[in-house]
Amino acid sequence: MGDVLAGIHSTWEFDTDSVLIRFERGIRTPKLFHVLAERRIPYEALSTVEMAPGGKRGTVALRMVPREGADPLLEVADGQLKEASDPYRLVLPAERELLADYYATELRSALGPDADKPAERHLVEAPPPPLNFKAYDGKASFDGKSVTFRWFWTGASSAKWRAGDQSFSVDELEGVEWRSPEVFQGHLRLRRHAGDGPQDSGDAPEAEADQDPAAVVFGLGYGLVYESLPFAASVLAAVRAAEPAMALETAHHGDSRRRQRDSAERMGRADPADIAERIRHLGELHEGGLLTDDEFSAKKAELLAEL
Protein backbone atom coordinates (compact mmCIF):
# COMPACT_ATOMS: atom_id res chain seq x y z
CA MET A 1 0.00 0.00 0.00
CA GLY A 2 2.78 2.40 0.94
CA ASP A 3 0.50 5.04 2.54
CA VAL A 4 0.00 6.62 5.96
CA LEU A 5 -3.24 7.01 7.91
CA ALA A 6 -2.98 9.35 10.89
CA GLY A 7 -5.43 8.97 13.77
CA ILE A 8 -5.96 10.69 17.09
CA HIS A 9 -3.56 8.60 19.22
CA SER A 10 -1.58 6.68 16.60
CA THR A 11 -0.52 6.54 12.97
CA TRP A 12 -0.66 3.51 10.69
CA GLU A 13 2.00 3.18 8.00
CA PHE A 14 1.10 0.57 5.38
CA ASP A 15 3.76 -1.59 3.73
CA THR A 16 3.52 -4.45 1.26
CA ASP A 17 3.25 -7.16 3.94
CA SER A 18 2.54 -5.36 7.21
CA VAL A 19 1.35 -2.20 8.92
CA LEU A 20 3.59 -0.25 11.29
CA ILE A 21 1.67 1.37 14.14
CA ARG A 22 3.38 4.38 15.71
CA PHE A 23 1.82 5.49 19.00
CA GLU A 24 1.80 9.10 20.18
CA ARG A 25 2.99 10.14 23.63
CA GLY A 26 0.48 12.91 24.29
CA ILE A 27 -1.04 13.72 27.66
CA ARG A 28 -4.36 12.13 26.70
CA THR A 29 -2.85 9.14 24.96
CA PRO A 30 -3.37 5.85 26.86
CA LYS A 31 -0.27 5.14 28.95
CA LEU A 32 0.09 1.68 27.45
CA PHE A 33 0.72 3.31 24.07
CA HIS A 34 3.58 5.31 25.60
CA VAL A 35 5.26 2.06 26.60
CA LEU A 36 4.64 0.24 23.31
CA ALA A 37 5.98 3.15 21.19
CA GLU A 38 5.48 1.23 17.93
CA ARG A 39 4.45 -2.23 16.70
CA ARG A 40 4.65 -3.92 13.32
CA ILE A 41 1.66 -6.13 12.49
CA PRO A 42 2.03 -8.58 9.56
CA TYR A 43 -1.10 -8.92 7.47
CA GLU A 44 -0.95 -12.70 7.96
CA ALA A 45 -1.58 -12.07 11.67
CA LEU A 46 -4.99 -10.50 10.98
CA SER A 47 -8.39 -12.14 10.97
CA THR A 48 -10.53 -9.26 9.68
CA VAL A 49 -10.92 -5.47 9.72
CA GLU A 50 -13.88 -3.59 11.20
CA MET A 51 -15.32 -0.10 10.97
CA ALA A 52 -17.49 1.33 13.79
CA PRO A 53 -18.47 4.65 15.38
CA GLY A 54 -15.84 6.02 17.73
CA GLY A 55 -16.30 6.29 21.46
CA LYS A 56 -16.80 10.05 21.22
CA ARG A 57 -19.21 11.95 19.04
CA GLY A 58 -17.76 12.96 15.69
CA THR A 59 -15.27 10.08 15.46
CA VAL A 60 -15.01 6.72 13.72
CA ALA A 61 -12.84 3.75 14.59
CA LEU A 62 -10.95 1.46 12.26
CA ARG A 63 -9.93 -1.76 13.98
CA MET A 64 -7.81 -4.67 12.87
CA VAL A 65 -8.83 -7.97 14.46
CA PRO A 66 -5.86 -10.30 15.01
CA ARG A 67 -6.09 -14.06 14.62
CA GLU A 68 -6.36 -16.03 17.83
CA GLY A 69 -2.89 -16.78 19.17
CA ALA A 70 -1.10 -14.47 16.72
CA ASP A 71 -0.10 -11.75 19.19
CA PRO A 72 1.48 -12.58 22.58
CA LEU A 73 0.42 -9.17 23.91
CA LEU A 74 -3.29 -9.85 23.35
CA GLU A 75 -2.92 -13.48 24.41
CA VAL A 76 -1.61 -12.51 27.83
CA ALA A 77 -4.06 -9.58 28.13
CA ASP A 78 -6.87 -12.12 27.68
CA GLY A 79 -9.61 -9.57 26.95
CA GLN A 80 -8.79 -7.26 29.88
CA LEU A 81 -7.81 -4.19 27.85
CA LYS A 82 -10.28 -1.34 27.74
CA GLU A 83 -11.42 -0.19 24.32
CA ALA A 84 -9.44 3.04 24.56
CA SER A 85 -6.24 1.04 25.19
CA ASP A 86 -6.72 -1.37 22.28
CA PRO A 87 -3.50 -1.09 20.21
CA TYR A 88 -5.31 -2.40 17.12
CA ARG A 89 -7.87 0.42 17.11
CA LEU A 90 -7.36 3.67 15.17
CA VAL A 91 -9.72 6.55 16.01
CA LEU A 92 -10.26 9.26 13.37
CA PRO A 93 -12.49 12.32 12.89
CA ALA A 94 -15.82 11.38 11.29
CA GLU A 95 -15.02 13.43 8.17
CA ARG A 96 -12.28 10.88 7.37
CA GLU A 97 -14.69 7.94 7.38
CA LEU A 98 -14.53 7.44 3.61
CA LEU A 99 -10.73 7.37 3.73
CA ALA A 100 -10.80 4.93 6.64
CA ASP A 101 -13.26 2.71 4.77
CA TYR A 102 -10.92 2.68 1.77
CA TYR A 103 -8.04 1.43 3.93
CA ALA A 104 -10.31 -1.12 5.58
CA THR A 105 -11.10 -2.52 2.14
CA GLU A 106 -7.42 -2.57 1.19
CA LEU A 107 -6.52 -4.36 4.42
CA ARG A 108 -9.20 -7.00 3.88
CA SER A 109 -7.80 -7.70 0.43
CA ALA A 110 -4.35 -8.24 1.97
CA LEU A 111 -5.45 -10.85 4.53
CA GLY A 112 -3.73 -14.21 4.34
CA PRO A 113 -5.39 -17.48 3.28
CA ASP A 114 -5.61 -18.64 6.92
CA ALA A 115 -7.23 -15.49 8.27
CA ASP A 116 -10.20 -17.45 9.62
CA LYS A 117 -8.00 -19.95 11.51
CA PRO A 118 -6.16 -19.63 14.83
CA ALA A 119 -2.44 -19.01 14.40
CA GLU A 120 -0.16 -21.96 15.14
CA ARG A 121 2.54 -19.61 16.44
CA HIS A 122 3.02 -15.99 17.37
CA LEU A 123 3.14 -13.85 14.23
CA VAL A 124 3.53 -10.46 15.95
CA GLU A 125 6.81 -9.81 17.73
CA ALA A 126 6.73 -9.12 21.45
CA PRO A 127 8.68 -6.18 22.91
CA PRO A 128 12.33 -7.29 23.03
CA PRO A 129 14.20 -7.79 26.32
CA PRO A 130 15.80 -6.62 28.51
CA LEU A 131 12.66 -5.42 30.27
CA ASN A 132 11.85 -4.53 33.85
CA PHE A 133 9.19 -2.84 35.95
CA LYS A 134 8.51 -2.09 39.60
CA ALA A 135 5.44 -3.63 41.20
CA TYR A 136 4.18 -3.03 44.73
CA ASP A 137 6.18 -5.82 46.38
CA GLY A 138 9.17 -6.23 44.10
CA LYS A 139 11.06 -5.47 40.92
CA ALA A 140 10.67 -7.82 37.94
CA SER A 141 13.42 -8.16 35.33
CA PHE A 142 13.65 -10.24 32.14
CA ASP A 143 16.83 -10.64 30.12
CA GLY A 144 15.44 -12.99 27.47
CA LYS A 145 16.51 -16.16 29.26
CA SER A 146 15.27 -15.80 32.83
CA VAL A 147 12.82 -13.79 34.92
CA THR A 148 14.04 -12.38 38.23
CA PHE A 149 11.92 -11.10 41.12
CA ARG A 150 13.73 -9.01 43.72
CA TRP A 151 11.54 -8.26 46.73
CA PHE A 152 11.03 -4.85 48.36
CA TRP A 153 11.19 -5.08 52.14
CA THR A 154 8.50 -2.38 52.37
CA GLY A 155 5.92 -4.36 50.37
CA ALA A 156 6.79 -8.06 50.13
CA SER A 157 5.00 -10.56 52.36
CA SER A 158 6.88 -12.60 54.96
CA ALA A 159 6.30 -15.68 52.75
CA LYS A 160 8.27 -14.05 49.94
CA TRP A 161 11.02 -12.94 52.29
CA ARG A 162 11.33 -16.51 53.56
CA ALA A 163 11.61 -17.75 49.97
CA GLY A 164 14.13 -15.07 49.02
CA ASP A 165 14.62 -13.33 45.68
CA GLN A 166 13.59 -15.58 42.82
CA SER A 167 14.89 -16.40 39.36
CA PHE A 168 13.09 -18.59 36.80
CA SER A 169 14.59 -19.77 33.53
CA VAL A 170 12.30 -19.68 30.50
CA ASP A 171 12.38 -23.48 30.14
CA GLU A 172 10.88 -23.83 33.65
CA LEU A 173 7.75 -22.00 32.55
CA GLU A 174 4.62 -22.98 30.66
CA GLY A 175 2.88 -19.61 30.65
CA VAL A 176 2.23 -16.22 32.20
CA GLU A 177 -0.86 -14.98 34.02
CA TRP A 178 -1.52 -11.24 33.91
CA ARG A 179 -4.31 -9.59 35.87
CA SER A 180 -4.74 -5.92 35.01
CA PRO A 181 -3.34 -3.33 37.45
CA GLU A 182 -6.67 -1.54 37.09
CA VAL A 183 -8.58 -4.23 39.00
CA PHE A 184 -8.49 -5.65 42.52
CA GLN A 185 -5.64 -8.11 43.15
CA GLY A 186 -3.82 -7.20 39.94
CA HIS A 187 -0.66 -9.24 39.50
CA LEU A 188 1.77 -10.97 37.17
CA ARG A 189 2.26 -14.67 37.92
CA LEU A 190 4.64 -17.11 36.25
CA ARG A 191 3.12 -20.50 35.50
CA ARG A 192 5.64 -23.27 36.05
CA HIS A 193 5.49 -26.78 34.67
CA ALA A 194 3.71 -29.20 36.98
CA GLY A 195 5.91 -30.27 39.85
CA ASP A 196 8.43 -27.44 39.50
CA GLY A 197 7.34 -25.55 42.61
CA PRO A 198 5.52 -25.84 45.91
CA GLN A 199 2.36 -24.34 44.40
CA ASP A 200 2.33 -26.88 41.56
CA SER A 201 2.25 -30.11 43.51
CA GLY A 202 -0.70 -32.35 44.30
CA ASP A 203 -4.10 -30.86 44.94
CA ALA A 204 -2.86 -28.04 47.18
CA PRO A 205 -4.83 -24.80 46.68
CA GLU A 206 -3.04 -22.08 44.76
CA ALA A 207 -1.50 -19.38 46.93
CA GLU A 208 -2.67 -15.79 46.69
CA ALA A 209 -0.37 -13.73 44.48
CA ASP A 210 1.00 -11.77 47.45
CA GLN A 211 2.13 -15.07 49.01
CA ASP A 212 3.42 -16.74 45.83
CA PRO A 213 7.17 -16.33 45.13
CA ALA A 214 6.38 -16.82 41.43
CA ALA A 215 4.24 -13.66 41.31
CA VAL A 216 4.50 -9.91 41.84
CA VAL A 217 1.47 -7.85 42.84
CA PHE A 218 0.59 -4.37 41.62
CA GLY A 219 -1.37 -3.05 44.59
CA LEU A 220 -4.36 -0.71 44.56
CA GLY A 221 -3.29 2.89 44.87
CA TYR A 222 0.30 2.11 43.95
CA GLY A 223 -0.10 3.30 40.39
CA LEU A 224 -0.78 1.56 37.11
CA VAL A 225 2.09 -0.65 36.07
CA TYR A 226 1.84 -0.11 32.31
CA GLU A 227 5.16 -1.81 31.66
CA SER A 228 3.85 -5.10 33.06
CA LEU A 229 1.82 -6.11 29.99
CA PRO A 230 4.63 -5.79 27.40
CA PHE A 231 6.87 -7.52 29.98
CA ALA A 232 4.42 -10.43 30.28
CA ALA A 233 4.07 -10.65 26.49
CA SER A 234 7.85 -10.83 26.05
CA VAL A 235 8.12 -13.63 28.62
CA LEU A 236 5.24 -15.55 27.02
CA ALA A 237 6.81 -15.24 23.56
CA ALA A 238 10.10 -16.61 24.92
CA VAL A 239 8.27 -19.50 26.59
CA ARG A 240 6.48 -20.40 23.37
CA ALA A 241 9.69 -20.17 21.37
CA ALA A 242 11.46 -22.49 23.84
CA GLU A 243 8.78 -25.20 23.73
CA PRO A 244 10.00 -26.99 20.55
CA ALA A 245 13.57 -27.04 21.87
CA MET A 246 12.37 -28.37 25.22
CA ALA A 247 10.38 -31.15 23.57
CA LEU A 248 13.44 -32.19 21.57
CA GLU A 249 15.64 -32.06 24.65
CA THR A 250 13.23 -34.23 26.61
CA ALA A 251 12.95 -36.78 23.81
CA HIS A 252 16.73 -37.15 23.47
CA HIS A 253 17.89 -36.84 27.05
CA GLY A 254 14.86 -37.64 29.21
CA ASP A 255 15.51 -34.51 31.23
CA SER A 256 12.90 -31.76 31.79
CA ARG A 257 15.55 -29.11 32.51
CA ARG A 258 13.00 -27.38 34.72
CA ARG A 259 14.92 -26.86 37.98
CA GLN A 260 14.89 -23.50 39.74
CA ARG A 261 18.30 -21.82 39.66
CA ASP A 262 20.06 -20.16 42.55
CA SER A 263 18.95 -16.52 42.28
CA ALA A 264 22.02 -15.18 44.07
CA GLU A 265 24.29 -16.85 41.50
CA ARG A 266 22.32 -15.23 38.64
CA MET A 267 22.37 -11.77 40.12
CA GLY A 268 26.09 -11.66 40.79
CA ARG A 269 27.74 -9.84 43.66
CA ALA A 270 25.23 -8.00 45.85
CA ASP A 271 25.32 -4.46 47.20
CA PRO A 272 26.55 -4.61 50.87
CA ALA A 273 24.19 -1.80 51.89
CA ASP A 274 21.26 -3.67 50.37
CA ILE A 275 22.28 -6.90 52.14
CA ALA A 276 22.49 -5.06 55.45
CA GLU A 277 19.02 -3.61 54.96
CA ARG A 278 17.56 -7.00 54.13
CA ILE A 279 19.19 -8.60 57.18
CA ARG A 280 17.71 -5.80 59.31
CA HIS A 281 14.27 -6.59 57.90
CA LEU A 282 14.78 -10.30 58.59
CA GLY A 283 15.56 -9.34 62.17
CA GLU A 284 12.26 -7.49 62.41
CA LEU A 285 10.40 -10.54 61.09
CA HIS A 286 12.28 -12.74 63.59
CA GLU A 287 11.48 -10.45 66.52
CA GLY A 288 7.85 -10.37 65.43
CA GLY A 289 7.65 -14.16 65.55
CA LEU A 290 7.26 -14.58 61.77
CA LEU A 291 10.58 -16.42 61.43
CA THR A 292 11.92 -19.18 63.65
CA ASP A 293 15.49 -19.08 64.99
CA ASP A 294 16.57 -21.63 62.39
CA GLU A 295 14.84 -19.78 59.53
CA PHE A 296 16.41 -16.50 60.57
CA SER A 297 19.89 -18.01 60.85
CA ALA A 298 19.59 -19.81 57.50
CA LYS A 299 18.34 -16.73 55.60
CA LYS A 300 20.95 -14.49 57.21
CA ALA A 301 23.69 -16.93 56.17
CA GLU A 302 22.35 -16.95 52.59
CA LEU A 303 22.44 -13.17 52.43
CA LEU A 304 25.93 -12.94 53.87
CA ALA A 305 27.10 -15.51 51.31
CA GLU A 306 26.14 -13.06 48.52
CA LEU A 307 28.79 -10.57 49.67
Side-chain angles (χ1 to χ4, degrees):
M1 299 181 191
D3 294 321
V4 176
L5 184 59
I8 294 176
H9 294 311
S10 58
T11 299
W12 291 5
E13 299 181 7
F14 300 94
D15 207 337
T16 54
D17 60 354
S18 61
V19 55
L20 176 64
I21 304 177
R22 298 185 186 276
F23 299 101
E24 295 182 358
R25 295 182 58 86
I27 296 176
R28 297 183 179 181
T29 303
K31 299 301 182 183
L32 175 62
F33 294 176
H34 292 199
V35 177
L36 293 175
E38 66 178 41
R39 304 191 79 212
R40 183 170 291 280
I41 313 298
Y43 298 140
E44 66 172 332
L46 301 179
S47 172
T48 188
V49 182
E50 302 172 340
M51 283 283 298
K56 295 183 178 181
R57 185 176 179 180
T59 62
V60 294
L62 174 62
R63 183 176 187 268
M64 299 183 292
V65 181
R67 295 167 58 191
E68 180 183 348
D71 186 349
L73 187 83
L74 292 195
E75 182 177 344
V76 79
D78 195 23
Q80 297 177 74
L81 289 179
K82 294 182 178 179
E83 184 177 68
S85 297
D86 183 350
Y88 283 85
R89 185 169 175 267
L90 181 68
V91 180
L92 307 107
E95 59 264 24
R96 306 193 72 189
E97 182 174 1
L98 288 178
L99 182 61
D101 186 62
Y102 164 77
Y103 280 103
T105 301
E106 290 293 298
L107 280 170
R108 293 187 191 106
S109 68
L111 298 180
D114 297 322
D116 59 341
K117 302 176 183 178
E120 297 181 354
R121 59 182 177 85
H122 290 150
L123 300 170
V124 182
E125 292 187 4
L131 295 167
N132 63 78
F133 70 93
K134 292 182 179 179
Y136 174 74
D137 60 353
K139 179 179 179 179
S141 303
F142 180 51
D143 62 5
K145 296 181 179 179
S146 62
V147 180
T148 300
F149 294 155
R150 188 181 183 104
W151 309 122
F152 297 152
W153 70 268
T154 53
S157 65
S158 58
K160 290 183 176 179
W161 271 101
R162 286 194 187 101
D165 293 341
Q166 300 289 302
S167 188
F168 306 88
S169 62
V170 167
D171 58 12
E172 293 178 60
L173 306 176
E174 64 177 13
V176 183
E177 175 185 290
W178 182 81
R179 185 170 176 82
S180 172
E182 298 184 346
V183 301
F184 179 61
Q185 294 183 337
H187 62 264
L188 182 149
R189 191 197 306 263
L190 303 177
R191 292 293 183 184
R192 291 165 285 182
H193 292 284
D196 275 5
Q199 306 303 329
D200 301 311
S201 57
D203 297 324
E206 183 176 64
E208 295 291 339
D210 65 340
Q211 302 295 316
D212 186 354
V216 289
V217 298
F218 303 137
L220 288 175
Y222 180 73
L224 302 182
V225 189
Y226 303 105
E227 296 88 348
S228 64
L229 181 57
F231 181 100
S234 184
V235 175
L236 180 63
V239 170
R240 293 285 184 267
E243 285 174 349
M246 282 188 61
L248 184 62
E249 185 77 14
T250 300
H252 282 84
H253 303 289
D255 181 5
S256 68
R257 297 177 62 205
R258 299 193 296 262
R259 299 183 300 270
Q260 186 170 337
R261 309 294 166 81
D262 183 348
S263 60
E265 179 181 339
R266 289 181 179 279
M267 298 181 69
R269 189 175 181 84
D271 181 1
D274 181 61
I275 293 296
E277 179 62 27
R278 293 159 71 187
I279 290 176
R280 186 191 68 78
H281 183 63
L282 284 175
E284 292 176 353
L285 296 176
H286 180 236
E287 291 177 2
L290 297 176
L291 292 176
T292 65
D293 291 344
D294 290 342
E295 287 174 332
F296 172 71
S297 297
K299 291 302 299 181
K300 181 178 178 181
E302 289 179 12
L303 292 172
L304 289 174
E306 295 184 26
L307 294 174

